[in-house]
Amino acid sequence: MGTTWEQFMVVQPLVAKMLTNSIKKNRISHAYLFEGSKGTGKLDAALQLTKSVFCEQRNGYEPCQLCRNCRRIMSGNHPNVHIVKPEGTSIKKQQVQTLQEEFAKTGVESNQKVYIIEHADRMTTTAANTLLKFLEEPHTGTMAILLTENSHKILNTILSRCQTLTFQPLVKHAMVMKLEEKGISKPFALTVAQLTNNIQEAEELCNDEWFAQARTLVIKLCEALGDASSLFFVQEKWLKHFTDKEQIQIGLDLLLLIYKDLLYVQLNETENITFIDQQSLFETFSYSQKRIVSALSNILEAKNRLNANVNVQLTFEQLVLRLQEG
C-alpha cells in the first residue's frame, strides 16, 4: 500500500495542501520542481501525484492504491510513466532525447503522460538545454516532475517554467510515525529521530546491527558509572565498538540523550523521554539536577574536543572520570 495524502499532510503539510488543492480544482501544473534535502519524501510525493492523475477510482484527491494504474505506478511499470535517473554521475542528453521520443508516440491507453527526473541538478548542460525545449513546448496531458536537493544548480530558465515546491526537513513526530509505519519499534524510532531528520538515514540506522549494539552499550556505560568498573568498560567495550570519529560522535549524542532523559525524569516530564524502554532504570538513578547539567556540559565539551583532533581514548577516559565525579 502506498502513502496517502492524509499521511503527507502530517509530514509535508504545505506541499500536500498545495498539491491536493490543485488536484481538487483540476489545475495541475505541466511542470513541478520538488526541492528539499535527502529523505524528505520528494519521490513519494511525485508518485502519489502521478497516481492521483492516473487512478481509475479516485476518491476526491485520494488515489485508491488498488486499481490497475495505481498498482503499475507503484511497481514501476506503467507505460506512460517514466523515471529518469543519473547514469553514473550525470543525466545525459541522450536520456532526455529518449524520453522525448517516447512522449512523441501516441499513448496506447491515454494521452496523459508523466516523467519524473531524479537528481535533476545532475543534468549535463546539453541535457538541461534539451529538457528546456521540452518544457517550453509541452505536449497536452504531459506532466514533468523534477526532483532535486540542489535547486541552485538548475538553469534559471528551467526553474522559471516549473512550479517549485519546497520540502521541509521532517519534524520529529512525523519521522517517528514514518518509522513506526515501516515496522520499527518506538524506542528505536524515537532515538534516531533525535539524531537525524533524514528518513533514509534514520531507516539505515534502525536496521544497522552496529547501531543497536551502540544504543545498548551507552545504557550499560551509564550503569557502569555507578562503580569503579567504568574505565575498564570504556577500554574493553566502548573503544572497541566506537572506532571512527563519526561513530564516537553518535555514541556521545546517545549519551547526551540519556542525560537529557535523566533530567526529564527529575522534572517529572517523562512524556519527553527518548529512551522510553529505560524509564524504570533511569528512575533508580539518584542524580541531582546540578550533576546532570554538569554531565551535559562535559559531554558537549568532549564532542568539541574530538572535532579538534585530540587523543580519542584520553578524551573519553577524562569524560568518564568527570561523569563519575559528578
Side-chain angles (χ1 to χ4, degrees):
M1 178 67 77
T3 310
T4 65
W5 283 121
E6 292 307 314
Q7 288 167 322
F8 266 113
M9 291 290 182
V10 177
V11 293
Q12 292 295 345
L14 208 60
V15 168
K17 198 168 184 191
M18 290 176 79
L19 290 175
T20 51
N21 277 341
S22 300
I23 297 162
K24 277 194 288 192
K25 292 173 182 172
N26 206 19
R27 287 191 192 153
I28 295 170
S29 174
H30 79 279
Y32 288 98
L33 179 84
F34 290 177
E35 62 163 6
S37 57
K38 185 180 169 191
T40 46
K42 299 184 294 295
L43 181 58
D44 283 347
L47 292 170
Q48 182 70 358
L49 178 58
T50 305
K51 280 185 279 184
S52 290
V53 166
F54 282 97
C55 181
E56 295 161 358
Q57 296 163 20
R58 198 173 80 203
N59 180 13
Y61 50 72
E62 202 71 81
C64 71
Q65 312 283 2
L66 299 169
C67 71
R68 188 160 164 255
N69 280 341
C70 282
R71 289 203 316 272
R72 287 191 298 175
I73 290 163
M74 278 192 279
S75 63
N77 59 11
H78 194 291
N80 288 4
V81 178
H82 298 267
I83 298 179
V84 179
K85 300 178 184 183
E87 282 180 0
T89 55
S90 63
I91 292 171
K92 296 163 181 68
K93 181 185 178 182
Q94 185 57 51
Q95 289 176 267
V96 180
Q97 284 178 329
T98 304
L99 190 68
Q100 283 176 306
E101 285 159 19
E102 276 296 319
F103 279 63
K105 297 172 189 169
T106 307
V108 178
E109 296 177 29
S110 78
N111 286 325
Q112 183 68 55
K113 294 181 181 182
V114 173
Y115 61 97
I116 298 166
I117 299 183
E118 292 190 55
H119 302 292
D121 52 283
R122 295 191 202 166
M123 282 187 284
T124 62
T125 309
T126 49
N129 285 321
T130 306
L131 179 72
L132 183 60
K133 290 190 189 114
F134 203 18
L135 290 171
E136 282 172 339
E137 301 159 17
H139 296 92
T140 309
T142 295
M143 178 171 71
I145 309 172
L146 279 55
L147 314 180
T148 182
E149 291 164 34
N150 303 293
S151 56
H152 61 281
K153 291 184 179 176
I154 291 177
L155 288 177
N156 284 331
T157 41
I158 288 179
L159 290 175
S160 66
R161 282 164 178 77
C162 296
Q163 183 180 342
T164 300
L165 296 180
T166 301
F167 285 63
Q168 301 298 329
L170 294 192
V171 292
K172 300 226 177 341
H173 75 271
M175 168 85 82
V176 171
M177 188 188 83
K178 292 276 279 184
L179 291 169
E180 285 189 284
E181 277 170 21
K182 291 173 186 288
I184 288 158
S185 72
K186 189 156 193 174
F188 266 76
L190 283 167
T191 307
V192 296
Q194 296 288 351
L195 301 178
T196 177
N197 56 22
N198 178 329
I199 191 74
Q200 285 161 305
E201 229 171 71
E203 268 188 81
E204 282 164 19
L205 277 175
C206 286
N207 294 318
D208 186 349
E209 187 55 39
W210 177 89
F211 182 75
Q213 288 174 351
R215 192 178 184 276
T216 303
L217 279 175
V218 176
I219 296 161
K220 286 189 172 162
L221 173 64
C222 287
E223 290 179 285
L225 287 170
D227 56 51
S229 68
S230 55
L231 277 181
F232 175 78
F233 180 86
V234 167
Q235 286 154 356
E236 287 301 305
K237 304 275 185 186
W238 185 280
L239 293 169
K240 286 178 182 173
H241 189 71
F242 298 89
T243 52
D244 64 38
K245 213 174 218 179
E246 197 180 329
Q247 290 181 344
I248 293 162
Q249 290 290 4
I250 289 174
L252 289 173
D253 284 335
L254 290 170
L255 203 52
L256 270 177
L257 290 174
I258 284 186
Y259 274 92
K260 283 181 184 173
D261 282 358
L262 291 174
L263 193 57
Y264 287 134
V265 168
Q266 286 275 335
L267 299 169
N268 283 326
E269 292 179 14
T270 49
E271 70 279 4
N272 293 322
I273 286 178
T274 298
F275 284 74
I276 52 170
D277 52 333
Q278 301 300 321
Q279 185 177 331
S280 54
L281 170 69
F282 295 164
E283 284 167 354
T284 66
F285 290 12
S286 52
Y287 290 180
S288 66
Q289 285 183 28
K290 188 180 173 188
R291 179 175 178 177
I292 296 168
V293 171
S294 169
L296 289 168
S297 171
N298 283 322
I299 297 165
L300 287 168
E301 190 191 327
K303 276 177 70 68
N304 289 334
R305 290 189 69 199
L306 286 170
N307 282 332
N309 284 331
V310 293
N311 181 296
V312 171
Q313 184 168 344
L314 188 63
T315 301
F316 211 84
E317 286 174 357
Q318 284 174 342
L319 172 63
V320 166
L321 289 171
R322 283 179 184 163
L323 294 177
Q324 261 189 319
E325 288 162 10

